[in-house]
Amino acid sequence: MKPKFYSLILKSMSFMSYRFMRVLIMFDLPVETKAQVRTYTRFRKELIKEGFLMLQYSIYIKSCINKEAALGSVRSVNRFLPRDGHVRSLIITERQYENMMILVGEEDRNIEILGDNRTIMF
Amino acid sequence: MAWRIVYVTEVESLSLNMNSLKVQKGDLDIKIPLPDIFAVVIEDLTVRVSIRLLTELSKYNILVVMCNQQHLPECYIQPVSGHYGQYSQMQNQLNWSQDMKNILWQKIIKRKIDNQAKVMEQQGVEYHRIEKMNKLSLIIDPEDSKNFEGQAARIYFNSFYDDFSRDNDELVENAAMNYGYSILNSAIARTIVAKGLIPALGIKHIGTRNHFNLASDFIEPFRPLVDLFILENPPGSFLTKEYRLQLINLMHARIQIDNKKQTVIRAIEIMIQSIIDYFQSSDETKILLPNLEKYEFYEL
């Protein structure tokens, strides 16, 4: 595997105008009653259907090809928000995401493979 | 907006999981969201694919190309209905006038020859040959009744290869071109269907056994991009997996259209939409075709 900083340089040179973005959805939902659990499950499922992957508990992430697409996917999350609880979204660039330091644990394989890969080879 | 290509050569199974394509390979379990996917190229003859997945891939207008034992694209899956306004779109297409089709064909061939000339320039071919191409491109009539396209192609290919014939299957260059063209062709056919057009009804191509006449028309100005790649990166003695992958990655190469650099995937869509707009408005300035003024190959 090539070192991370090398791929960073390559990317910034060839895709300056293609700003890959990452959308993060972070939430806390109450799960005390059965109805609340149902709401929570439904929200989580909708997120996954929308193409989000679990980064860690209650934090979901999605790669988008540019800022417009990222804003679009936040808009689509807006369509199935629960009434109670806390939900936030954050859009960051691919580079900012790659600068995230993992202090304990490791990157999820799925998130690692997906990222800004235009072609995924198996 | 779909932008990913999934290239499958060795996995156990492909299935559907919550709007995602689930790929299983050993203990690896990867899920790729369907809305992101533009194409799935399957070169593995033993992979298990669920029908539930196939129908869903079709629903998202995802191009699914399946390859044969020689690794060449053999067939692809096409949705029965890819567009919400399918009926009216098809009606309109049936009413496209012959005059307008002729003008479109003239423009397509002109752009193809111009792009071929660009490739020759880029490869440092002698000036008088390029000059000949430029002359041909200026005198094409609306139907290309004198088949200048063929003449140009002869000058073009003979500038790069000696004793070259596109029919010679022994040549690895031909195999590479065929591979590149057929991926391109299927991507164009997919977008044609996604726009609600009938792929079998061509402008100039009228092959009675060709279900993709229209794609065969629309591919012309894009062909030189494949040629250029092959000239810059000769295939060696046979097509390796890496090389096939590079040819597939031409979908991500960028080409100029409407004065902007766009990926091929996007350029195909822009071109086809502009042609639909042209037939609707009878305004030939609406036609947008890709040119090789500026280009950029996609590096992994």
Side-chain angles (χ1 to χ4, degrees), chain B residues 144-157:
Chain B
D144 190 22
S145 53
K146 300 202 179 67
N147 191 21
F148 289 132
E149 180 196 2
Q151 285 187 40
R154 208 166 315 124
I155 301 172
Y156 174 66
F157 283 115

Side-chain angles (χ1 to χ4, degrees), chain B residues 89-275:
Chain B
Q89 198 74 284
M90 287 182 172
Q91 274 296 336
N92 290 338
Q93 187 186 355
L94 288 171
N95 293 329
W96 286 358
S97 77
Q98 194 56 46
D99 286 348
M100 285 179 73
K101 282 193 214 173
N102 289 345
I103 290 172
L104 175 62
W105 183 246
Q106 178 190 21
K107 290 205 173 242
I108 286 179
I109 288 310
K110 183 169 161 32
R111 183 54 59 83
K112 180 190 181 187
I113 297 177
D114 290 345
N115 284 349
Q116 285 175 329
K118 270 273 162 314
V119 174
M120 291 162 81
E121 240 171 68
Q122 211 274 334
Q123 290 291 306
V125 170
E126 304 97 313
Y127 187 67
H128 70 270
R129 283 175 167 270
I130 300 173
E131 190 79 320
K132 261 194 234 164
M133 297 289 280
N134 291 339
K135 266 191 201 135
L136 282 177
S137 124
L138 286 177
I139 52 173
I140 298 169
D141 55 325
E143 240 176 308
D144 190 22
S145 53
K146 300 202 179 67
N147 191 21
F148 289 132
E149 180 196 2
Q151 285 187 40
R154 208 166 315 124
I155 301 172
Y156 174 66
F157 283 115
N158 286 339
S159 318
F160 306 121
Y161 307 107
D162 305 326
D163 238 354
F164 182 81
S165 150
R166 280 284 292 131
D167 300 327
N168 186 350
D169 287 334
E170 309 273 290
L171 290 173
V172 66
E173 281 81 8
N174 269 330
M177 278 180 219
N178 290 342
Y179 193 92
Y181 293 161
S182 62
I183 294 283
L184 202 54
N185 198 51
S186 46
I188 291 172
R190 169 249 169 230
T191 307
I192 286 172
V193 176
K195 293 274 178 200
L197 298 171
I198 312 167
L201 278 185
I203 305 282
K204 181 77 175 182
H205 286 81
I206 46 163
T208 45
R209 282 172 52 111
N210 182 358
H211 183 58
F212 299 107
N213 281 315
L214 196 58
S216 307
D217 291 324
F218 291 170
I219 195 179
E220 299 296 352
F222 282 100
R223 281 183 202 269
L225 181 77
V226 178
D227 307 336
L228 182 60
F229 176 82
I230 293 170
L231 288 163
E232 281 191 11
N233 308 274
S237 49
F238 64 99
L239 294 190
T240 59
K241 180 177 158 187
E242 282 68 37
Y243 199 79
R244 293 197 300 275
L245 182 64
Q246 286 182 314
L247 287 171
I248 291 171
N249 276 339
L250 284 176
M251 291 287 102
H252 305 307
R254 302 214 277 152
I255 192 167
Q256 188 171 312
I257 188 164
D258 197 15
N259 291 321
K260 284 187 209 84
K261 259 206 284 184
Q262 300 279 9
T263 61
V264 170
I265 291 176
R266 183 91 184 98
I268 290 172
E269 176 156 350
I270 292 172
M271 178 181 82
I272 294 176
Q273 187 55 52
S274 81
I275 289 170

Side-chain angles (χ1 to χ4, degrees), chain B residues 17-75:
Chain B
N17 185 294
M18 300 248 269
N19 253 14
S20 288
L21 164 67
K22 183 166 139 196
V23 183
Q24 264 175 312
K25 177 178 183 171
D27 52 358
L28 200 63
D29 207 345
I30 301 298
K31 291 174 195 124
I32 306 159
L34 291 181
D36 287 356
I37 305 177
F38 175 79
V40 182
V41 180
I42 305 176
E43 277 202 5
D44 188 336
L45 291 165
T46 59
V47 58
R48 279 180 294 122
V49 185
S50 73
I51 302 296
R52 181 79 182 81
L53 171 73
L54 288 181
T55 54
E56 210 64 20
L57 287 170
S58 147
K59 203 157 124 194
Y60 278 88
N61 275 315
I62 294 169
L63 165 66
V64 184
V65 181
M66 284 172 271
C67 302
N68 58 24
Q69 266 172 305
Q70 285 76 43
H71 307 292
L72 293 173
E74 178 69 43
C75 64

Side-chain angles (χ1 to χ4, degrees), chain A residues 75-118:
Chain A
R75 267 198 297 279
S76 60
V77 172
N78 270 318
R79 285 205 305 267
F80 54 81
L81 286 177
R83 218 171 290 148
D84 306 315
H86 297 274
V87 184
R88 292 154 195 255
S89 76
L90 175 66
I91 298 176
I92 58 174
T93 64
E94 178 67 22
R95 177 177 279 199
Q96 284 167 332
Y97 177 78
E98 280 179 16
N99 281 340
M100 173 155 55
M101 285 186 281
I102 298 176
L103 303 182
V104 179
E106 53 196 50
E107 180 77 293
D108 178 271
R109 274 309 292 282
N110 206 153
I111 291 176
E112 192 179 313
I113 291 176
L114 251 53
D116 60 348
N117 267 341
R118 281 169 180 267

Side-chain angles (χ1 to χ4, degrees), chain A residues 22-36:
Chain A
R22 298 269 192 161
V23 181
L24 282 116
I25 300 288
M26 297 165 275
F27 60 85
D28 275 322
L29 298 184
V31 281
E32 273 139 32
T33 66
K34 264 196 169 163
Q36 285 173 337

Side-chain angles (χ1 to χ4, degrees), chain A:
Chain A
M1 225 182 110
K2 60 189 174 190
K4 208 76 189 185
F5 63 88
Y6 174 66
S7 66
L8 256 178
I9 295 166
L10 265 184
K11 237 169 264 159
S12 59
M13 285 195 315
S14 57
F15 281 114
M16 240 5 181
S17 56
Y18 262 95
R19 292 268 288 215
F20 276 92
M21 300 300 227
R22 298 269 192 161
V23 181
L24 282 116
I25 300 288
M26 297 165 275
F27 60 85
D28 275 322
L29 298 184
V31 281
E32 273 139 32
T33 66
K34 264 196 169 163
Q36 285 173 337
V37 172
R38 257 200 302 276
T39 313
Y40 158 80
T41 316
R42 203 172 301 140
F43 179 66
R44 198 186 101 89
K45 273 202 169 165
E46 287 292 338
L47 272 182
I48 295 171
K49 278 190 187 163
E50 205 50 56
F52 284 88
L53 298 165
M54 191 174 94
L55 186 63
Q56 55 186 63
Y57 285 122
S58 302
I59 302 184
Y60 286 71
I61 190 161
K62 183 181 176 175
S63 316
C64 293
I65 197 162
N66 54 29
K67 187 124 192 218
E68 284 69 52
L71 286 168
S73 71
V74 174
R75 267 198 297 279
S76 60
V77 172
N78 270 318
R79 285 205 305 267
F80 54 81
L81 286 177
R83 218 171 290 148
D84 306 315
H86 297 274
V87 184
R88 292 154 195 255
S89 76
L90 175 66
I91 298 176
I92 58 174
T93 64
E94 178 67 22
R95 177 177 279 199
Q96 284 167 332
Y97 177 78
E98 280 179 16
N99 281 340
M100 173 155 55
M101 285 186 281
I102 298 176
L103 303 182
V104 179
E106 53 196 50
E107 180 77 293
D108 178 271
R109 274 309 292 282
N110 206 153
I111 291 176
E112 192 179 313
I113 291 176
L114 251 53
D116 60 348
N117 267 341
R118 281 169 180 267
T119 300
I120 303 174
M121 191 178 69
F122 292 99

